[in-house]
Amino acid sequence: MNYNDFFEAKISDLHSEGRYRVFTDIERHAGKFPKATRWVGGEKSEVTVWCSNDYLCMGQNRRVLQTMHDVIDRCGAGAGGTRNISGTNHYHVLLEHELCDLHNKEAALVFTSGYVSNLAALCTLASKLPDCIVFSDEFNHASMIEGIRHSRAEKQIFRHNDPDDLERLLAAADPNRPKLIAFESVYSMDGDVAPIARYCDLAEKYGALTYLDEVHAVGLYGPRGGGIADQEGLMGRVDVIEGTLAKAFGCMGGYITASAAIVDFVRSYASAFIFTTALPPAVAAAAITSIQHLKVSAMERQRHQGVVAKVRRRLSDFGVNHMENPSHIVPVMVGDPVMCKQMSDDLLDHYGIYVQPINYPTVPRGTERLRITPSPMHSDEDIEHLARSLSAIWSHMNLKRAA
Ligand SMILES: *Cc1c(COP(=O)(O)O)cnc(C)c1O
């Protein structure tokens, strides 16, 4: 076999479908978010980032940065080992305490990323529970899908955010088999929110465990930033809450929080937790500072929601279609991968606006979109420039405007 021809053919498939991924090379500037320098070859220009998941700009928070500096100087660069073999730094222990407190759970476990936490926890739970059935929302994140797939457990997919469909499946399943319901709170691409209370009711009725990915909600919702379950007073009813330290908390790493027994079980059996080096202590420490800050400061959340509302209003004023939802994510639907990429390129090249195109397989084909994520640091001028630039592209490309 000519291996190289094979790889090149697969890449050219992506080009012809218009969904070849091109990375935008940017240099963010702490203290100036959402502004960044864009590099093309040796050339640079200033751009405004409108697609970051550092939703609250905590990645430039002065206290977070100071902690990171201090702990690098105190503890060095890396953790020096897996958690089991010399890599458990005191800051990992403190971070896990902080997360227990955030979610009001008995225990927490930190992983190197949110992706790994889903992969490891779902795989371990679903593979070790004897004859487990996993009930999974059809729009769940790739990391959850992979974790379930690796477990080799039976998987039943329920319609997105549809508790009636879930109940239909639960009712038809053998009442004696262990069951795990896996879902997210805020879905990152449509920005819609799961009916968590309904799922908890069903879990109680049919004897299932609940597993909730709050990656796009932690830091952002709830009186202390514990997520949607915090906001709705449901944290105590969800068995496993999974989150990331990389989005609203602005750092890196993932975690689960749950009962002491569940966490100890995952800690003891999950390969993707056991056999990998722990997070750098400075990253763990910085995450603690970020979480602590957002527990007591609601200012970032309020400003964030204010900017989100303004962006929506201005886009509507210009007739630029965007999907309504109760969260902070503003999807501008395009519905075609080539056009989506073109719009993103135009925004970047002609208007200094960076919004990455979102194409298949991140979203279903035909629902390609520009996913706009406002932050508390976007100014009124930034918003105005975004709305006017999109409007200009709408005219240029002869697109239909919303009423
Ligand atoms: C980003 C994301 C993850 C992965 O989190 P990382 O910390 O970036 O690895 C998990 N779940 C969902 C829904 C996500 O969007």
Side-chain angles (χ1 to χ4, degrees):
M1 182 176 189
N2 187 324
Y3 295 106
N4 222 49
D5 283 357
F6 172 81
F7 298 133
E8 283 172 2
K10 295 306 270 186
I11 296 294
S12 96
D13 287 352
L14 295 175
H15 280 291
S16 59
E17 284 182 52
R19 58 184 187 92
Y20 179 74
R21 288 170 194 253
V22 180
F23 293 159
T24 300
D25 177 356
I26 59 168
E27 194 180 324
R28 301 208 294 165
H29 300 297
K32 293 198 181 136
F33 289 5
K35 304 292 174 195
T37 298
R38 175 195 181 201
W39 287 91
V40 180
E43 300 287 300
K44 52 184 184 168
S45 57
E46 190 186 77
V47 296
T48 303
V49 181
W50 275 103
C51 58
S52 176
N53 280 339
D54 185 355
Y55 293 122
L56 300 178
C57 298
M58 290 302 287
Q60 68 171 4
N61 179 280
R62 294 190 59 89
R63 290 176 51 216
V64 171
L65 301 195
Q66 193 56 55
T67 302
M68 202 179 252
H69 283 293
D70 291 348
V71 176
I72 287 173
D73 290 340
R74 200 159 338 130
C75 301
T82 62
R83 286 293 295 274
N84 191 43
I85 307 177
S86 93
T88 295
N89 191 282
H90 191 51
Y91 288 103
H92 298 121
V93 178
L94 294 177
L95 174 56
E96 285 168 350
H97 287 160
E98 198 61 48
L99 291 164
C100 290
D101 177 72
L102 177 65
H103 294 288
N104 200 16
K105 294 280 183 201
E106 288 172 1
L109 193 65
V110 170
F111 298 79
T112 41
S113 75
Y115 188 103
V116 172
S117 63
N118 273 334
L119 179 73
L122 281 168
C123 177
T124 305
L125 290 166
S127 66
K128 300 280 191 233
L129 284 166
D131 208 20
C132 179
I133 313 178
V134 183
F135 299 85
S136 177
D137 185 289
E138 66 176 323
F139 285 180
N140 277 344
H141 189 256
S143 56
M144 302 173 83
I145 295 169
E146 284 296 300
I148 297 163
R149 204 169 63 81
H150 277 273
S151 78
R152 300 208 184 109
E154 181 182 340
K155 172 166 86 164
Q156 300 198 11
I157 295 174
F158 59 93
R159 279 201 299 271
H160 176 55
N161 279 354
D162 186 343
D164 295 331
D165 195 46
L166 172 60
E167 176 151 34
R168 185 179 62 78
L169 297 173
L170 285 166
D174 180 346
N176 296 317
R177 287 176 69 181
K179 299 175 185 67
L180 182 61
I181 306 171
F183 56 102
E184 303 175 22
S185 57
V186 175
Y187 279 82
S188 68
M189 292 301 150
D190 289 351
D192 53 344
V193 176
I196 302 174
R198 288 287 308 280
Y199 292 159
C200 292
D201 293 343
L202 291 174
E204 274 165 29
K205 184 168 169 189
Y206 293 95
L209 286 175
T210 44
Y211 183 103
L212 170 59
D213 175 319
E214 287 254 42
V215 161
H216 291 276
V218 288
L220 296 167
Y221 298 94
R224 298 197 313 152
I228 299 288
D230 182 21
Q231 179 169 289
E232 298 184 350
L234 294 169
M235 290 194 297
R237 294 186 68 200
V238 177
D239 294 298
V240 182
I241 296 176
E242 182 271 343
T244 186
L245 305 169
K247 290 174 184 171
F249 293 126
C251 298
M252 180 87 200
Y255 64 89
I256 60 165
T257 58
S259 68
I262 289 180
V263 168
D264 202 14
F265 173 76
V266 173
R267 186 187 73 90
S268 305
Y269 284 99
S271 175
F273 172 79
I274 297 171
F275 297 104
T276 192
T277 300
L279 278 183
V283 174
I288 295 172
T289 300
S290 183
I291 296 164
Q292 285 177 342
H293 179 86
L294 291 176
K295 272 179 186 169
V296 294
S297 172
M299 198 213 0
E300 289 80 3
R301 285 187 280 278
Q302 281 162 6
R303 253 199 78 86
H304 182 224
Q305 293 296 333
V307 175
V308 170
K310 271 191 203 160
V311 169
R312 288 184 197 280
R313 200 175 327 120
R314 288 310 277 154
L315 292 184
S316 295
D317 290 345
F318 283 101
V320 172
N321 255 320
H322 56 96
M323 193 189 267
E324 282 305 328
N325 63 51
S327 77
H328 57 282
I329 292 158
V330 184
V332 171
M333 304 306 284
V334 180
D336 176 83
V338 176
M339 198 189 282
C340 197
K341 172 84 170 71
Q342 185 62 52
M343 291 164 87
S344 169
D345 288 347
D346 286 351
L347 283 170
L348 200 50
D349 293 337
H350 305 309
Y351 301 95
I353 289 172
Y354 175 33
V355 188
Q356 189 69 22
I358 308 283
N359 289 345
Y360 177 82
T362 308
V363 295
R365 284 194 169 90
T367 71
E368 291 81 6
R369 67 197 65 187
L370 298 173
R371 174 181 180 270
I372 296 170
T373 53
S375 80
M377 303 306 287
H378 285 94
S379 67
D380 286 351
E381 297 89 90
D382 291 332
I383 298 171
E384 205 52 33
H385 183 56
L386 173 73
R388 288 185 185 276
S389 305
L390 278 168
S391 179
I393 287 174
W394 245 242
S395 299
H396 183 67
M397 293 181 113
N398 240 327
L399 299 171
K400 226 179 88 212
R401 289 181 195 257

